[in-house]
Amino acid sequence: MAKIITMTSGKGGVGKTTSSAAVGTGLALRGFKTCIIDFDVGLRNLDLIMGCERRVVFDFINVINGEARLNQALIKDKRVENLYILPTSQTRDKDALTPAGVGKILDELKKEFDYIICDSPAGIEKGALMALYWADHAIVVTNPEVSSVRDSDRILGVIQAKSRRAEQGLEPVQEHLLVTRYDVERVEKGEMLKVDDVLEILAIPLLGIIPESPAVLKASNVGMPVVLDDKSTAGQAYADAVGRFLGEKIEHRFIKPEKKGLLDRLLRRTA
């Protein structure tokens, strides 16, 4: 039975599209047929991060409006088997998303895919509400900052009140927390919230902690999901998060300062 995973956040710029690309790619690497949909109509970025922007001919809105078939708009990833991208329009506005149109496409995708990732816009505007409505799972992406966490708490209230599952009295949407851009040195200095503080406020299961890493920007600039960079801490953290989502018991990494060796300490003193 296909599952719909909505990647959501209250605040923009927290790494939601990066996370959608990484989690979707990670699931495909595990052998699951996966489709990632860009719900951010007018401001699409998923195709850039996935490196397929030049292959976009038709998009999500074309399919909703009957201007193209779904198989014409789906883009098969060239690097990972079982991975597909459904880009959205750069020129339409959010009103182009209709409940009937979105529902029909998701029903079609469910026949072919194991997982459907909905890359939601930030906040609670129409595109975000549309993506959240259909969720079986919601991965709430937040930075360890007060404003980001507060906005994420607002999103949790929306999920619990306005999802299809809530509306129909079904089992609740399964909620997961993904903390991104975690900088252990800034946490130690008190400049960022600790993971425990974030968990105390949001009170949902922790899926992963993604450390601040230059590999994320580098991967985005070359159109590659960072999870494919298995040498980077961010790539490894996303792979761990995918494993946890699939039920594996994996200890959280990259949440404590690295122990400095004698040479590192001496160099710091002389710097």
Side-chain angles (χ1 to χ4, degrees):
M1 183 67 178
K3 295 294 183 184
I4 297 174
I5 305 168
T6 297
M7 199 74 61
T8 185
S9 71
K11 188 179 179 187
V14 299
K16 192 165 52 296
T17 299
T18 294
S19 298
S20 295
V23 171
T25 303
L27 287 167
L29 288 170
R30 295 296 194 98
F32 296 99
K33 193 172 183 182
T34 304
C35 176
I36 314 174
I37 307 175
D38 192 343
F39 270 77
D40 200 356
V41 180
L43 294 171
R44 77 176 188 215
N45 284 308
L46 178 65
D47 56 316
L48 290 172
I49 288 179
M50 295 299 298
C52 63
E53 68 277 9
R54 294 184 181 181
R55 299 171 61 201
V56 177
V57 179
F58 296 108
D59 58 51
F60 192 16
I61 304 305
N62 291 139
V63 181
I64 287 176
N65 290 341
E67 299 160 353
R69 296 188 304 276
L70 181 58
N71 62 359
Q72 291 178 301
L74 283 171
I75 299 173
K76 188 179 189 303
D77 190 85
K78 292 182 176 181
R79 296 156 299 202
V80 180
E81 192 69 25
N82 297 318
L83 181 60
Y84 292 76
I85 299 94
L86 181 56
T88 197
S89 173
Q90 278 186 307
T91 57
R92 312 289 180 95
D93 61 30
K94 302 293 191 293
D95 289 335
L97 291 172
T98 64
V102 172
K104 183 180 177 182
I105 290 174
L106 290 175
D107 285 342
E108 284 188 56
L109 290 171
K110 282 181 177 182
K111 298 172 185 175
E112 299 292 331
F113 290 89
D114 299 306
Y115 288 104
I116 301 159
I117 311 285
C118 299
D119 181 26
S120 167
I124 51 174
E125 46 86 2
K126 184 173 181 179
L129 292 175
M130 196 75 69
L132 283 171
Y133 179 78
W134 302 97
D136 298 309
H137 296 261
I139 298 179
V140 179
V141 184
T142 188
N143 293 158
E145 301 167 356
V146 172
S147 61
S148 181
V149 174
R150 182 186 64 183
D151 290 349
S152 294
D153 191 41
R154 174 77 175 95
I155 287 294
L156 289 172
V158 173
I159 295 168
Q160 291 155 10
K162 296 189 176 181
S163 70
R164 174 183 60 90
R165 287 178 167 271
E167 187 180 272
Q168 297 179 5
L170 304 173
E171 287 291 318
V173 174
Q174 293 187 44
E175 299 162 342
H176 314 266
L177 176 64
L178 191 65
V179 180
T180 54
R181 304 196 68 177
Y182 195 76
D183 186 326
V184 290
E185 292 188 358
R186 292 186 65 190
V187 169
E188 290 292 309
K189 293 176 184 176
E191 297 173 358
M192 281 186 168
L193 296 174
K194 295 179 181 178
V195 171
D196 288 346
D197 296 331
V198 179
L199 288 171
E200 184 177 346
I201 296 167
L202 298 180
I204 60 175
L206 180 62
L207 185 66
I209 303 162
I210 313 302
E212 182 74 86
S213 169
V216 174
L217 180 59
K218 181 181 177 182
S220 296
N221 285 340
V222 299
M224 180 187 80
V226 71
V227 73
L228 294 176
D229 181 3
D230 58 7
K231 299 292 191 295
S232 71
T233 55
Q236 294 170 35
Y238 274 117
D240 287 353
V242 171
R244 291 189 200 96
F245 181 83
L246 295 173
E248 298 172 11
K249 302 296 182 184
I250 301 174
E251 187 176 349
H252 290 283
R253 300 188 278 171
F254 316 118
I255 56 175
K256 296 179 181 177
E258 290 183 19
K259 291 183 179 179
K260 302 292 185 183
L262 176 61
L263 182 59
D264 291 322
R265 293 198 297 271
L266 289 172
L267 288 173
R268 178 169 288 186
R269 287 177 186 172
T270 57

